[in-house]
Amino acid sequence: SNKGYYIKVNYGANVVTIYTSDNDGNYSIPVKAMVCSTGTATPKSGTYRIQSRWEWLGLIGNVYGHYSTQIVGNILFHSVPYLEKYNPASLEYWEYDKLGTRASAGCIRLTIADAKWIYNNIPRGTLVEFYSSSDPGPLRKTFCTKDI
């Protein structure tokens, strides 16, 4: 789609929903939902613009995020952490098992497939809105098992 996207991060339900615009230019069409883990420093409200991105990035705690996309400051979308840069076998599976719960320092942790989708498809300047609701949103909360 060349219409662009709008991202809503629901830190209450730990789900990210990606929207595209309708014929009137409103971002009302949900296209993808991603289960995530948020954390104590995750913004509770506000809207920010996507900034930089890195295929691999060193994170707090001497771990690495794969497909990291900057939202604001040190708050990023990224994969569940890895113990070693460039080593897919070093994924912290015990952190992967926490997806859908509050588990990060503040970043938005995603499956590798979902982090890669944002990295590849969401351009710089895309708006990201933070809010909290017990309602996971129109597409619910789903795990992606393909498109890796």
Side-chain angles (χ1 to χ4, degrees):
S1 168
N2 59 3
K3 294 180 181 179
Y5 296 103
Y6 187 91
I7 303 174
K8 292 179 91 171
V9 177
N10 179 345
Y11 76 86
N14 280 289
V15 65
V16 175
T17 305
I18 315 284
Y19 293 86
T20 192
S21 57
D22 59 25
N23 292 332
D24 295 325
N26 299 313
Y27 288 97
S28 63
I29 303 170
V31 293
K32 197 165 186 53
M34 305 171 175
V35 67
C36 71
S37 285
T38 58
T40 50
T42 302
K44 305 296 184 265
S45 62
T47 303
Y48 306 91
R49 289 191 183 274
I50 290 291
Q51 299 173 49
S52 302
R53 67 193 72 230
W54 302 268
E55 188 170 350
W56 287 94
L57 183 68
L59 306 172
I60 295 168
N62 200 27
V63 293
Y64 298 89
H66 200 185
Y67 302 114
S68 300
T69 302
Q70 183 183 28
I71 303 166
V72 58
N74 291 329
I75 304 299
L76 315 160
F77 288 114
H78 64 71
S79 71
V80 169
Y82 288 80
L83 295 171
E84 298 171 27
K85 194 174 187 179
Y86 310 122
N87 180 0
S90 71
L91 179 77
E92 293 185 336
Y93 60 86
W94 56 93
E95 294 296 333
Y96 184 93
D97 292 345
K98 295 178 188 174
L99 282 170
T101 68
R102 181 168 278 201
S104 78
C107 288
I108 314 306
R109 292 181 182 174
L110 300 163
T111 65
I112 300 137
D114 287 342
K116 183 177 182 179
W117 191 92
I118 287 177
Y119 178 91
N120 286 333
N121 293 285
I122 300 298
R124 184 184 199 111
T126 298
L127 292 172
V128 180
E129 177 186 335
F130 288 86
Y131 74 103
S132 180
S133 172
S134 58
D135 178 353
L139 299 179
R140 317 314 297 156
K141 195 191 304 195
T142 57
F143 278 95
C144 174
T145 55
K146 56 184 189 324
D147 302 328
I148 292 177

